[in-house]
Amino acid sequence: MKNDSTVTDWVDALKREKQDAVTRGLRVDSKPAGQKEEAPSPEANALITFKFNSAELTAEAKLLLDNLALALRTPELWGNKFRLEGHTDGVGSRGYNLKLSQRRAEAVRNYLISKSGIDGNMFNAIGKGKESLLDKANPKAAINRRVTIANIGG
């Protein structure tokens, strides 16, 4: 998501589609009779900005999350649960980055709770460390420091 993402942008990115719906040009195929089809969780890469070695949200991050907080209260998203995955850049040890990414995911979770009034049990904050770099060619790139949000259903 971009810093100027609207409430509608968030809703569109995170709402769960009905089974066998066409989504972003792809059709979810049905499984054989008797097997329940699981659609992939809608998710959005939120390029939440963090300073290097910090889990404190920047002013830009708060602006982006303000619209997400409003989107979470819409009928399309209300009552769903969300997974927040924190990520780091490639600098530092694996253990340190796991802890830092967890703190980043929790910072986003806490901010969304305070802004949306949604019960904290609706969010699962997970730290992924430096395992899923967006820019693998440049592990130190700021774009690797992000939080991803996925709608995991009700």
Side-chain angles (χ1 to χ4, degrees):
M1 299 297 289
K2 303 173 296 197
N3 284 345
D4 62 350
S5 296
T6 66
V7 172
T8 302
D9 293 334
W10 280 111
V11 170
D12 289 345
L14 292 172
K15 69 182 174 186
R16 295 184 70 82
E17 299 291 334
K18 295 184 178 178
Q19 288 183 328
D20 295 329
V22 175
T23 319
R24 295 184 185 120
L26 301 174
R27 182 174 174 82
V28 178
D29 293 327
S30 297
K31 288 188 176 191
Q35 290 184 351
K36 184 178 178 183
E37 176 66 37
E38 289 292 326
S41 295
E43 62 181 58
N45 276 327
L47 296 176
I48 305 300
T49 54
F50 294 95
K51 291 182 180 177
F52 180 75
N53 197 27
S54 172
E56 184 177 338
L57 294 169
T58 63
E60 294 85 11
K62 289 177 182 178
L63 289 174
L64 180 62
L65 292 173
D66 287 345
N67 277 339
L68 174 56
L70 291 171
L72 294 173
R73 297 188 57 80
T74 64
E76 295 91 345
L77 299 180
W78 187 257
N80 287 284
K81 293 186 179 184
F82 297 89
R83 182 181 63 244
L84 301 168
E85 290 184 358
H87 300 270
T88 65
D89 59 29
V91 177
S93 71
R94 182 178 187 275
Y96 180 81
N97 280 319
L98 279 173
K99 289 177 186 175
L100 177 59
S101 63
Q102 182 69 38
R103 289 195 327 264
R104 287 177 174 166
E106 289 173 3
V108 170
R109 177 185 177 271
N110 293 338
Y111 188 83
L112 289 173
I113 291 168
S114 72
K115 286 294 187 172
S116 69
I118 293 176
D119 184 337
N121 292 323
M122 299 306 286
F123 300 104
N124 184 15
I126 301 168
K128 301 295 266 187
K130 60 182 181 178
E131 304 305 315
S132 299
L133 300 175
L134 279 181
D135 186 353
K136 292 178 179 157
N138 187 5
K140 295 179 182 180
I143 196 168
N144 292 318
R145 299 189 294 267
R146 69 197 186 282
V147 172
T148 302
I149 182 168
N151 182 339
I152 56 176

